Amino acid sequence: MRGQIENINEKITFSYADGEYELRSHPYEPCLYIFKDDEMIKILHNAFDVYDLPSIFEAGETVRAINGKDFDEETFCSVLIAAINDTHYEMDWPFAAELVKNETV
């Protein structure tokens, strides 16, 4: 697996080889905010409310993006990695998901 989403002490974390990130969200749009060492490093628009993600993925279920595509935990984590590694500070979820398709890894 390329990463893992967990609820640790009421914080939603994303861990992979590069380190640990905190995920936060704003339900109105919704936006997904990625933090590293308490500093916001990325904003993903049209994303997900992160607080339900650990239980969804633990149950083996998927989440559906605004563009109608379903994401399991592994694919979701791949999108987060692509967004973290991209030079854009802000992007929407479908754009971040397209970055995965363009990876040469």
Side-chain angles (χ1 to χ4, degrees):
M1 179 175 279
R2 296 192 66 186
Q4 185 174 8
I5 306 289
E6 297 178 285
N7 184 337
I8 300 175
N9 298 325
E10 302 303 314
K11 289 184 177 182
I12 307 304
T13 62
F14 166 61
S15 302
Y16 86 107
D18 185 38
E20 186 171 285
Y21 298 84
E22 182 181 351
L23 304 180
R24 300 179 192 170
S25 60
H26 191 281
Y28 296 124
E29 186 177 343
C31 283
L32 187 154
Y33 305 103
I34 302 173
F35 285 78
K36 176 78 170 169
D37 300 324
D38 290 323
E39 179 182 342
M40 185 168 27
I41 62 164
K42 298 288 176 175
I43 300 172
L44 300 178
H45 297 276
N46 299 312
F48 303 92
D49 184 346
V50 300
Y51 303 103
D52 294 329
L53 292 176
S55 61
I56 290 169
F57 292 143
E58 283 175 16
E61 297 176 5
T62 61
V63 291
R64 179 160 290 168
I66 192 169
N67 60 0
K69 295 183 180 177
D70 291 328
F71 293 86
D72 61 10
E73 184 174 17
E74 186 170 350
T75 308
F76 189 94
C77 290
S78 294
V79 174
L80 290 180
I81 292 167
I84 289 168
N85 292 327
D86 190 70
T87 58
H88 293 88
Y89 175 72
E90 282 187 74
M91 63 192 79
D92 65 17
W93 182 266
F95 178 86
E98 285 296 315
L99 293 173
V100 174
K101 290 182 181 177
N102 298 328
E103 283 184 348
T104 58
V105 182

